[in-house]
Amino acid sequence: MSTNTIETLRFNCTTCPSECLLTVKVERDADGAVVEVRSVTGNSCLRGDTFAHQELTCPMCVLTTTVAVSGGDEALLPVRTAEAIPLALHAQAMDLIRGLVVKAPIRMGDVVLPNLLDTGTDLIASMDIDRV
């Protein structure tokens, strides 16, 4: 006998300025994990359907933080992942990033750490820092 349950969720899609209110029916197992996304309604484009499936099965988000700077006119460099990475990897990524120190000068868009955690996504600088 199956102990799976069907749940209806409502949340906004954030892939475009329309921010459609999605109604999503999901099947969850006894542990609460999503087994299947049954239906998505309320989206005005295909991106809403894709977003709902991704958000419930493998949430992705751009990671933004700062790293220490050596020899620069600023002590901290804002950085971000070039693309969204799985939310489940954010804590592990922060453990790795926490120990980084970049040497000035650095320019916005420069790769600070290539292929972060084998995600295929680089950690990049979000501003310019000049040498002191």
Side-chain angles (χ1 to χ4, degrees):
M1 178 174 187
S2 176
T3 58
N4 291 356
T5 59
I6 305 297
E7 180 180 0
T8 301
L9 305 170
R10 292 175 59 88
F11 54 89
N12 289 88
C13 176
T14 58
T15 59
C16 74
S18 296
E19 292 189 6
C20 297
L21 179 60
L22 306 177
T23 301
V24 184
K25 289 193 187 296
V26 296
E27 179 181 347
R28 293 188 185 271
D29 65 17
D31 296 326
V34 173
V35 173
E36 179 184 3
V37 176
R38 295 266 179 118
S39 68
V40 178
T41 58
N43 52 308
S44 60
C45 68
L46 291 176
R47 290 184 292 179
D49 186 73
T50 303
F51 173 78
H53 280 81
Q54 179 182 325
E55 196 65 17
L56 292 167
T57 57
C58 180
M60 305 277 281
C61 192
V62 171
L63 174 65
T64 59
T65 188
T66 56
V67 296
V69 176
S70 169
D73 60 355
E74 298 285 342
L76 294 173
L77 170 70
V79 294
R80 66 177 177 83
T81 54
E83 302 289 331
I85 63 171
L87 201 53
L89 293 179
H90 281 213
Q92 187 180 354
M94 285 303 299
D95 287 343
L96 179 64
I97 293 166
R98 199 169 284 118
L100 288 180
V101 178
V102 296
K103 192 178 277 189
I106 192 153
R107 297 290 160 245
M108 187 178 343
D110 285 355
V111 174
V112 173
L113 187 63
N115 192 20
L116 179 64
L117 297 175
D118 295 322
T119 59
T121 300
D122 299 332
L123 187 69
I124 60 173
S126 296
M127 73 179 247
D128 296 341
I129 294 188
D130 294 318
R131 198 179 328 228
V132 238

